[in-house]
Amino acid sequence: MKSDLKLLLKALEFAAHKHRDQRRKDRKASPYINHPIALATVLTLEGRVADPKVLAAALLHDTIEDTRTSYEELKAKFGTRVAKTVLEVTDNKRLRKHTRKRLQVEHASGLSRDAKLVKLADKICNVRDLGEHPPVGWNKQRRREYFDWAKRVIDGLRGTNRRLEAAFDAAYARRPA
């Protein structure tokens, strides 16, 4: 128990430091760290996920993709399981956006259970944020396209956690008309 809490606080501190200068693209330019915290919260409260390694991976899920963090660094600080989960949900930013999105759909069903849980929470949080606090300049059409793409990703994750899947479906039901 004590080591679980230590892992989570260490992951939170690391993610906060790595994302310290990043902001979300909403009108308020919300601190980016709110997003990983939201994932861990969704997993815990809505998905009833209590595995500290999954929660740590959720807190760290964008560090390789969006900061100067390497897989090796995560592995050394948080262990192989957490680092592998983060790597599984990391997009290759050297690829074009369209290709990255297509690969997320294609690879969803082959992810580990840990990565599927993190991906479910990520898409839940993203569609909720998109519905409530869309990025500046995103019109309804672009938001609808994101919702539909996220659903295709989630469809590849079905059977992982029915509570999280239901939470996504509820968020998707509020898709812009």
Side-chain angles (χ1 to χ4, degrees):
M1 177 71 172
K2 189 175 181 180
S3 65
D4 294 348
L5 184 57
K6 184 177 177 179
L7 173 68
L8 290 174
L9 291 174
K10 184 177 167 184
L12 179 58
E13 180 180 42
F14 184 89
H17 176 73
K18 290 290 186 166
H19 293 296
R20 69 188 175 277
D21 296 325
Q22 295 176 326
R23 307 299 256 178
R24 298 289 281 179
K25 295 177 183 175
D26 59 13
R27 291 198 192 290
K28 294 181 180 181
S30 306
Y32 192 85
I33 191 61
N34 293 353
H35 174 64
I37 292 170
L39 264 69
T41 301
V42 164
L43 285 166
T44 303
L45 300 181
E46 296 178 59
R48 297 187 184 164
V49 174
D51 186 327
K53 293 189 180 193
V54 172
L55 299 175
L59 291 168
L60 300 164
H61 81 283
D62 276 336
T63 56
I64 293 175
E65 187 173 320
D66 292 341
T67 74
R68 293 179 182 250
T69 303
S70 68
Y71 167 80
E72 292 76 19
E73 183 179 9
L74 288 181
K75 184 177 174 184
K77 291 185 179 296
F78 302 101
T80 302
R81 183 175 162 204
V82 171
K84 280 186 175 181
T85 302
V86 173
L87 190 61
E88 277 189 88
V89 300
T90 297
D91 279 351
N92 181 346
K93 289 280 189 125
R94 291 176 286 174
L95 300 174
R96 292 174 35 166
K97 187 175 186 174
H98 175 76
T99 301
R100 291 192 318 260
K101 291 177 84 117
R102 179 180 50 79
L103 289 173
Q104 277 197 47
V105 173
E106 291 175 5
H107 294 158
S109 64
L111 296 174
S112 68
R113 185 171 196 291
D114 290 355
K116 286 179 178 182
L117 290 167
V118 172
K119 185 68 77 172
L120 276 161
D122 189 33
K123 295 300 178 250
I124 291 165
C125 292
N126 286 346
V127 297
R128 285 177 178 170
D129 285 348
L130 200 51
E132 297 168 20
H133 308 287
V136 174
W138 279 45
N139 62 27
K140 281 187 181 183
Q141 178 63 30
R142 186 170 180 190
R143 292 188 343 241
R144 280 193 301 267
E145 288 171 1
Y146 184 93
F147 270 71
D148 293 341
W149 166 76
K151 184 181 182 312
R152 290 193 306 276
V153 174
I154 293 300
D155 287 345
L157 305 172
R158 299 276 176 193
T160 303
N161 181 302
R162 64 181 175 80
R163 289 179 183 89
L164 293 174
E165 293 159 28
F168 176 83
D169 292 340
Y172 181 82
R174 294 188 295 278
R175 175 183 177 267

